[in-house]
Amino acid sequence: MNYPIWDLPILGGGILIGTIAILHVFVSHFAVGGGLFLVLTERKAYRDDDPDLLAYLRTHSTFFVLVVLVFGAVSGVGIWWSIGLVSPTATSTLIHVFVWVWAMEWVAFFTEIAAAFIYYYGWDRLSRRAHLTVGWIYFGAAWLSLFQINGILTFMLTPGRWLTTRALADAFFNPTMWPSALVRTAVAVAMAGLYALVTASVVSPLVHRERLTRYAAKWLLAGAAAIPVGGVWYIASLPPLAREMSMGGAPAVTIFAGLTILFSAFLVALIYVSAYLYPRSFNIGLALIAVIIGLMTTGVTEWVREAVRKPYIIYGYMWSNSIRVADRQSLQAQGLLPRAKWTAVSDASVSSQLQAGEEIFQLACQSCHTVQGYNGIRLMVRGWSRPLIRYSLDHLDELKGYMPPFAGSLAEREALADWLRSLAGPMSVSATENVARRLQVPPALLAKLPGAVSTGTPVAGGGKP
Amino acid sequence: MTAATLSALASVLAPLQTATATLPDPDPISLPGPTGLLMFLLVLTFLLHLVPMNFVLGGSLLMVLSYARARMGADETARNHRRLIGILARAFPPAIAFTITLGVAPLLFVQVLYGQLFFSSSILMAWPWLGVVGLLLVGYYAAYWHTTQHMKLGQAAAWVALAVAATFLGIAFLFVNNFSLLQNPEVWRPLYLSDRRGLHLYAVWDGSVLPRYLHFVFAALSLTGLAVAAMGARRGAREPKFARWAMGYGARWFIGGTVLQMASGIWFLASQPARIRNALLGASPQDTLLLAVAVGCALVALGVLVPPDRISAGRLSLASAAIGVTVILMVILRQRVRTIWLEPYFRTEQLSVASQWGAILLFLILFLAGVSLVGWMLWQFFRSPAKVSPQA
């Protein structure tokens, strides 16, 4: 309400953020684990007096720089850009609560980038010892950056005692911060192995390729072994509703949570057999398949992490639609439109109902729904009768646990119901009754629904929910 | 007061009233540090960002010009231009990396101090603003490609360099656009209500955007010219002929860029609303003094380096010091102008403050540790000369 709402038809803001974020997460964990891989492997090469391993590392470091310094850094900026455009109110909250943590993260980022360049350009310039030290500085700074961002991210799902104390330490050291840091560190180690498999798979001669492939596979398997430990701890620290949603409460979320486990297990099995047991048969094609599965795993896992936070964007403090929990009562009494600064109408009771309804949709629903596209509302309400729509608006949070309650006034509910009804097409008695049963609308009301239509032309049996 | 006067007054005040009505409220969470400290960090980190940013923008333009000149013949000047291309190209990847890294901090402090303005203006131009990220990715990878492959690419390298320059010119334009839009809240609501898809390119509305943009681009050319001259001065002993040429060439760009920058500066000043112009031209003594000293130092730098053919290392140092003062004062003045611009709408002093002193202390400790570590790594790097030429 405070900010203009960016109208992103078809796509929706969530998909935009998600796309950039998943790509960034996939690279940024490599940025951390890959640093540890470089420095430990370099140390091993010196200890074993292994020039072939050293030669491989130099090539791998070029790949590392091109992926991490360019794509990693720019996509990280991209997340910041997109969250500010799609969810400015929540972004502003995170900036205000954590500005000094962001500032510290900036120091880590700056040090990390400087160390990466000096490491990369320093192969022929620095002493072995200095080069290794620069490598450790890189890894330390990169991990610190992960640790700090992890504190902010986990705060959004489990703000813990911050909700009452408003203290920065409570916000940062929140209930899921440590388990999530453990999981992410383990993922970073696994990612180091995954990316190293790509560069190892093109090494010649074969004897080196085999050795390097098996070495890289060990990194992936070691990281993957630690993930379930942190994972169980993480799930145990989740709010009950979030845990329920990933374990049957919300079918889509449960399916994606299952896919996370399935993809991870498949990736581990693939790498164990093809790269660890039979490294001779491993090739760039298999490495790229592994990378794609790794990206898919990252995608579904991050999607689940975002989804279980619903109906909040900051748990217990701000709903997904950027309305603060504390403002709910006053908004229900006074309405959204009088407080909205960017709408063409400011009062649902005197303006055109449809125009007001559309504005209310933008304010209260558009952060998760498009009109017709991702999570499109037109398809969702197709064939619904007006009383059913109106009933749903009164019980959003009870009907669907992952939706926030409607925060507007009674007049605004009517306006939104009218506008949604205008999208719903011909009223379908069967669709309305099916949905009403699924939503467990009280029988007394159910009996009245189809017949109580005020808008739309009833079409018996037509339309589908 | 006649009805006509009242009506005229109302029409003057109307845009301001609208602007006040559409200005988002600041975040209800208090500022986590003193306003002055956050403002100081905003100005300081923006200043740090300017150093590599000017080099990236100006360097990419000089590189394109060097390609054009190098293609015109096989004479010594053409050879010098080819040599300069190689030197600029090598410095590009780290320069871009530090432009981004050092740009993150001022953007953070802008968001904490001016978030309600910054988010609003960004959303109005959401797609072009998001385009910054895409352009950056293209420009960055193209710069790496150019750096590592320009010897092999032949004539195509010039086109890659042109693409790099075009992306950074584009990014600069989008930044100037957004930060101009940020301080003009009176146009936000009409823009938004006319189209909510975030497609507004603001420049067409504001006569001050173009001079502001040129003021930055010419500054980048001027400062990169100075950097080229300084690079020549450092190479004096190893490659005296090239060094001499680079010093003269760089100095000429510095002089040309600075003269153009002053011209665009006058245009920029003329395009400002009267209250800003007046403040800088006498009404606000401290701001007028800032501007006068900044311009004075630039004139000193110009005077020291004219004529460019007789440049020496000593004169170069003096000019660099003078222009350094100009840059610092101009960055401070930029913040002052923003403050005066926004006075009718919003003052940062209005924000409530609840300082997180522990976190501030931790940040300062970490900042010192980070700077020390980077300093140590650079010392390690530069104290040992390259055994073999770097990979890229």
Side-chain angles (χ1 to χ4, degrees):
Chain A
M1 281 174 304
N2 200 29
Y3 289 104
I5 292 166
W6 181 19
D7 187 12
L8 258 171
I10 315 293
L11 193 64
I15 290 282
L16 179 81
I17 295 177
T19 308
I20 300 175
I22 287 166
L23 290 171
H24 176 71
V25 165
F26 190 59
V27 170
S28 61
H29 284 74
F30 169 50
V32 180
L36 187 65
F37 177 87
L38 281 172
V39 76
L40 285 181
T41 310
E42 186 185 355
R43 196 174 67 174
K44 177 177 158 59
Y46 293 147
R47 280 186 180 165
D48 302 350
D49 195 18
D50 187 342
D52 294 323
L53 186 57
L54 216 50
Y56 159 73
L57 266 190
R58 289 177 68 128
T59 315
H60 184 68
S61 70
T62 305
F63 171 76
F64 181 81
V65 160
L66 286 175
V67 173
V68 167
L69 288 192
V70 185
F71 192 82
V74 176
S75 58
V77 171
I79 295 185
W80 202 17
W81 247 242
S82 58
I83 61 170
L85 293 171
V86 174
S87 301
T89 312
T91 307
S92 174
T93 305
L94 295 181
I95 294 273
H96 277 77
V97 175
F98 290 109
V99 72
W100 298 113
V101 178
W102 290 114
M104 285 184 250
E105 197 274 331
W106 169 67
V107 174
F109 179 40
F110 175 79
T111 310
E112 174 189 346
I113 298 289
F117 272 107
I118 294 169
Y119 186 85
Y120 177 62
Y121 286 105
W123 277 109
D124 294 311
R125 211 159 158 156
L126 297 173
S127 68
R128 287 180 167 191
R129 197 180 156 160
H131 196 251
L132 276 175
T133 310
V134 171
W136 280 115
I137 292 173
Y138 171 83
F139 171 65
W143 186 83
L144 191 61
S145 171
L146 176 149
F147 180 70
Q148 287 157 331
I149 297 291
N150 174 67
I152 298 170
L153 265 182
T154 50
F155 161 82
M156 292 171 75
L157 179 59
T158 52
R161 293 196 307 170
W162 177 84
L163 290 172
T164 46
T165 64
R166 293 289 193 269
L168 175 62
D170 288 330
F172 188 81
F173 296 101
N174 62 74
T176 53
M177 193 279 279
W178 287 111
S180 175
L182 177 62
V183 171
R184 288 188 183 279
T185 305
V187 169
V189 171
M191 287 282 190
L194 182 62
Y195 281 80
L197 280 168
V198 175
T199 47
S201 69
V202 291
V203 166
S204 57
L206 183 62
V207 62
H208 293 321
R209 183 157 78 233
E210 272 186 72
R211 192 167 59 104
L212 288 169
T213 300
R214 181 169 277 163
Y215 176 74
K218 280 185 199 166
W219 277 76
L220 187 140
L221 297 172
I227 294 172
V229 180
V232 170
W233 182 14
Y234 179 76
I235 291 168
S237 317
L238 287 177
L241 176 61
R243 203 163 41 238
E244 257 169 48
M245 279 170 71
S246 62
M247 294 180 175
V253 183
T254 309
I255 291 169
F256 272 67
L259 284 178
T260 297
I261 296 168
L262 191 72
F263 289 164
S264 312
F266 182 65
L267 182 62
V268 167
L270 176 75
I271 296 306
Y272 179 69
V273 174
S274 67
Y276 184 75
L277 291 182
Y278 303 104
R280 185 176 279 261
S281 64
F282 196 78
N283 55 36
I284 182 73
L286 279 170
L288 292 178
I289 289 172
V291 165
I292 291 168
I293 299 168
L295 181 61
M296 285 160 62
T297 314
T298 307
V300 290
T301 312
E302 293 295 322
W303 189 88
V304 171
R305 188 187 56 70
E306 285 287 312
V308 297
R309 202 173 54 220
K310 289 183 175 180
Y312 299 103
I313 193 163
I314 298 170
Y315 225 89
Y317 176 76
M318 190 180 285
W319 307 107
S320 317
N321 52 13
S322 293
I323 291 173
R324 288 183 187 80
V325 175
D327 294 340
R328 179 183 169 184
Q329 282 189 334
S330 67
L331 285 171
Q332 282 180 337
Q334 295 159 19
L336 294 162
L337 288 173
R339 298 257 294 264
K341 291 174 185 283
W342 300 87
T343 48
V345 294
S346 58
D347 188 342
S349 56
V350 295
S351 316
S352 146
Q353 287 288 91
L354 289 184
Q355 193 186 7
E358 189 174 3
E359 293 280 16
I360 293 159
F361 173 79
Q362 290 209 348
L363 294 171
C365 321
Q366 200 174 274
S367 55
C368 299
H369 294 279
T370 61
V371 177
Q372 46 190 10
Y374 180 72
N375 222 2
I377 200 72
R378 186 193 289 273
L379 199 63
M380 286 181 174
V381 297
R382 193 163 147 196
W384 287 27
S385 70
R386 192 186 181 284
L388 178 63
I389 292 173
R390 182 65 186 74
Y391 176 84
S392 301
L393 292 179
D394 276 348
H395 300 87
L396 285 179
D397 51 329
E398 297 157 42
L399 296 172
K400 296 180 177 180
Y402 47 85
M403 284 184 73
F406 183 76
S409 65
L410 281 174
E412 289 174 345
R413 277 168 216 232
E414 300 297 341
L416 180 58
D418 278 351
W419 184 72
L420 288 172
R421 183 66 200 89
S422 77
L423 295 181
M427 206 281 287
S428 154
V429 174
S430 62
T432 298
E433 285 176 351
N434 286 342
V435 175
R437 272 192 208 96
R438 213 171 62 221
L439 297 180
Q440 296 178 332
V441 177
L445 186 62
L446 181 61
K448 291 185 205 162
L449 283 178
V453 178
S454 66
T455 324
T457 318
V459 181
K464 285 178 185 167
Chain B
M1 211 179 280
T2 65
T5 320
L6 275 176
S7 154
L9 191 64
S11 68
V12 171
L13 289 175
L16 286 184
Q17 286 164 344
T18 313
T20 310
T22 43
L23 208 62
D25 299 324
D27 203 283
I29 299 175
S30 303
L31 279 186
T35 317
L37 175 64
L38 291 163
M39 193 67 83
F40 169 75
L41 288 169
L42 167 62
V43 172
L44 175 73
T45 53
F46 180 69
L47 189 66
L48 293 175
H49 166 67
L50 275 190
V51 178
M53 185 278 272
N54 274 310
F55 178 79
V56 168
L57 184 58
S60 64
L61 292 171
L62 283 194
M63 203 150 66
V64 171
L65 295 172
S66 281
Y67 269 112
R69 179 62 186 83
R71 283 179 68 178
M72 283 158 67
D75 58 341
E76 193 177 344
T77 308
R79 278 200 300 279
N80 285 333
H81 276 287
R82 275 195 282 276
R83 180 95 185 85
L84 180 62
I85 289 168
I87 292 168
L88 288 175
R90 242 197 346 261
F92 250 85
I96 298 173
F98 286 107
T99 303
I100 297 171
T101 318
L102 294 170
V104 165
L107 210 60
L108 171 67
F109 295 118
V110 156
Q111 289 188 15
V112 76
L113 285 167
Y114 297 102
Q116 80 276 27
L117 309 174
F118 174 78
F119 292 127
S120 303
S121 61
S122 302
I123 291 165
L124 290 176
M125 53 178 290
W127 279 114
W129 185 238
L130 198 63
V132 168
V133 179
L135 284 174
L136 191 54
L137 203 58
V138 171
Y140 204 166
Y141 271 123
Y144 257 105
W145 189 26
H146 178 265
T147 299
T148 53
Q149 305 294 319
H150 69 101
M151 302 294 274
K152 297 178 200 158
L153 279 171
Q155 292 197 345
W159 293 103
V160 180
L162 187 64
V164 173
T167 55
F168 288 113
L169 277 172
I171 292 169
F173 182 71
L174 293 169
F175 265 88
V176 168
N177 251 353
N178 196 359
F179 281 84
S180 301
L181 186 53
L182 178 151
Q183 58 195 36
N184 282 289
E186 71 275 13
V187 302
W188 292 353
R189 192 179 156 82
L191 274 181
Y192 179 69
L193 291 181
S194 72
D195 190 328
R196 305 184 184 192
R197 289 172 301 171
L199 293 168
H200 299 290
L201 249 188
Y202 174 65
V204 287
W205 292 82
D206 187 345
S208 72
V209 167
L210 185 60
R212 184 174 180 172
Y213 178 58
L214 291 176
H215 199 54
F216 271 99
V217 174
F218 291 141
L221 276 173
S222 160
L223 292 176
T224 309
L226 199 63
V228 169
M231 176 274 297
R234 274 207 319 276
R235 282 167 190 262
R238 276 178 289 159
E239 330 168 59
K241 272 191 175 169
F242 171 71
R244 194 77 221 152
W245 173 84
M247 284 168 79
Y249 181 71
R252 273 196 295 279
W253 267 112
F254 171 73
I255 294 164
T258 306
V259 169
L260 286 170
Q261 207 210 356
M262 285 182 167
S264 61
I266 293 168
W267 181 12
F268 185 30
L269 185 64
S271 72
Q272 298 294 300
R275 63 196 173 89
I276 308 288
R277 235 179 12 248
N278 293 342
L280 297 185
L281 297 174
S284 164
Q286 85 245 31
D287 296 319
T288 309
L289 185 68
L290 265 178
L291 179 63
V293 177
V295 173
C297 285
L299 288 172
V300 167
L302 274 183
V304 170
L305 291 188
V306 173
D309 299 329
R310 275 196 242 143
I311 183 174
S312 67
R315 287 165 63 180
L316 203 57
S317 302
L318 185 60
S320 302
I323 212 68
V325 174
T326 300
V327 173
I328 293 169
L329 295 182
M330 279 297 185
V331 169
I332 297 171
L333 192 64
R334 174 177 172 275
Q335 181 55 45
R336 281 291 308 148
V337 168
R338 178 186 286 162
T339 306
I340 303 169
W341 251 104
L342 292 174
E343 258 168 13
Y345 317 105
F346 165 71
R347 291 164 187 255
T348 48
E349 293 80 13
Q350 296 165 349
L351 299 169
S352 63
V353 175
S355 297
Q356 300 167 348
W357 285 111
I360 294 172
L361 188 67
L362 201 58
F363 162 67
L364 291 176
I365 292 169
L366 209 64
F367 182 70
L368 288 177
V371 169
S372 310
L373 280 176
V374 172
W376 178 83
M377 290 189 291
L378 287 172
W379 175 69
Q380 286 288 329
F381 188 79
F382 285 109
R383 75 173 188 159
S384 45
K387 291 170 204 153
V388 188
S389 60
Q391 295 167 17

